[in-house]
Amino acid sequence: MPINNYQKMCYRRFGRTAENIVNDKMKLNLEKAHIDIRPDAYLSYVWMNTILAAVVSFIICISLVVFLKSSFIMSITLISIPILISIFAYFYFMSYPGMKANNRRKKIDMHLPYALHYISAMSSAGITPTEIFKSLSKQKIYGEIREESLWIYRDVGLLGRDIISAIKANIDRTPSEKFKEFLQGVIITVQSGGALKPYFMSKAEQYTRENRIAQKQLLESLGIMAEAYVTAAVAGVLLIII
């Protein structure tokens, strides 16, 4: 996906400097978050946003100082606000890819048990792994699993990689440890000459069981929170009144 005009302008201003500073961690976080922008272009975008946040907030605070005729202490407080805003803006945009990748991880883990049942059914029909990921990439119901499958099939269909190389590439950029473990198992099974159908079925059962346990633990946690709320907000207030 091409960058927009604003991001191009940011890159023209800071791109050359950003190229010497950007690291592999940012590149990996952008890939895990599926943000289609070069790391140096994104870093330039972060710097420009930080500068704009600082300038705009500084102008607003200076205007308030002049308009309100604030005291010395109030003026110092208002002038210090742009510094805090610029710091917040910088760290927010720098951490945004990591936050988005973490959000994708949760969605992948949530849909993985259901997607594996679909994969198992496809494998039972004798469908090849390439065609399985192609079919899965068209199923919007599986959310981020669809996006992961789309990247795998893109590497095969557009970049000309074999399915093993495409899966290995996705192992490095997926944010989900469960999905990474599943893909590693696919590679080991294929390279060792094993059958994929039993592997897919066993992983589907495993992740379904783990998902059921996680949901049960969540319900128990919600029950404890509800009891605590009733105790504190209802019984506690009555006790204080008595």
Side-chain angles (χ1 to χ4, degrees):
M1 181 179 65
I3 60 178
N4 57 43
N5 292 330
Y6 174 68
Q7 292 169 335
K8 289 179 181 177
M9 183 269 293
C10 298
Y11 183 74
R12 286 195 296 268
R13 296 289 186 274
F14 305 111
R16 186 165 298 179
T17 304
E19 288 177 359
N20 301 322
I21 298 177
V22 72
N23 53 37
D24 293 335
K25 182 179 179 181
M26 175 174 286
K27 179 181 179 181
L28 186 60
N29 283 337
L30 289 172
E31 288 182 348
K32 289 182 176 181
H34 280 196
I35 299 176
D36 297 333
I37 184 173
R38 288 174 49 182
D40 48 354
Y42 184 78
L43 186 58
S44 303
Y45 172 72
V46 172
W47 288 346
M48 181 60 74
N49 287 344
T50 303
I51 292 172
L52 288 178
V55 171
V56 171
S57 59
F58 181 76
I59 292 174
I60 292 174
C61 290
I62 289 296
S63 300
L64 289 174
V65 169
V66 174
F67 179 75
L68 298 176
K69 298 180 181 180
S70 305
S71 62
F72 177 76
I73 296 177
M74 181 61 69
S75 299
I76 295 297
T77 303
L78 289 173
I79 293 174
S80 65
I81 290 177
I83 299 175
L84 298 177
I85 291 177
S86 59
I87 292 174
F88 173 80
Y90 175 78
F91 282 105
Y92 171 77
F93 286 107
M94 286 295 289
S95 60
Y96 176 74
M99 292 188 297
K100 186 174 181 181
N102 187 55
N103 188 44
R104 289 193 68 245
R105 175 189 62 80
K106 294 178 181 178
K107 292 180 179 179
I108 290 172
D109 292 346
M110 180 178 65
H111 288 99
L112 186 56
Y114 312 105
L116 284 180
H117 284 291
Y118 178 82
I119 292 174
S120 299
M122 295 284 289
S123 179
S124 300
I127 308 298
T128 63
T130 301
E131 292 299 319
I132 288 175
F133 285 112
K134 178 183 178 180
S135 177
L136 191 59
S137 68
K138 299 177 182 178
Q139 307 298 322
K140 295 183 179 181
I141 191 174
Y142 297 118
E144 294 297 333
I145 295 289
R146 171 183 177 270
E147 296 297 323
E148 296 291 309
S149 302
L150 186 61
W151 275 44
I152 293 175
Y153 184 70
R154 182 208 63 173
D155 287 354
V156 176
L158 295 181
L159 303 183
R161 290 179 174 177
D162 61 274
I163 187 62
I164 297 299
S165 299
I167 291 175
K168 286 181 178 179
N170 203 71
I171 287 175
D172 295 331
R173 63 187 174 221
T174 182
S176 171
E177 291 298 324
K178 286 186 176 182
F179 193 62
K180 183 181 298 186
E181 177 192 353
F182 165 71
L183 294 179
Q184 289 171 339
V186 172
I187 293 175
I188 293 173
T189 303
V190 171
Q191 291 180 338
S192 62
L196 284 173
K197 177 183 174 182
Y199 172 72
F200 288 151
M201 293 181 67
S202 65
K203 297 304 287 186
E205 293 175 0
Q206 175 191 340
Y207 289 138
T208 300
R209 184 170 57 254
E210 291 178 357
N211 188 51
R212 189 179 298 114
I213 293 173
Q215 290 179 351
K216 183 178 179 181
Q217 291 175 344
L218 176 61
L219 290 175
E220 291 176 351
S221 300
L222 291 175
I224 293 173
M225 292 174 61
E227 291 177 1
Y229 172 79
V230 171
T231 303
V234 180
V237 173
L238 291 176
L239 183 62
I240 292 174
I241 293 174
I242 293 173

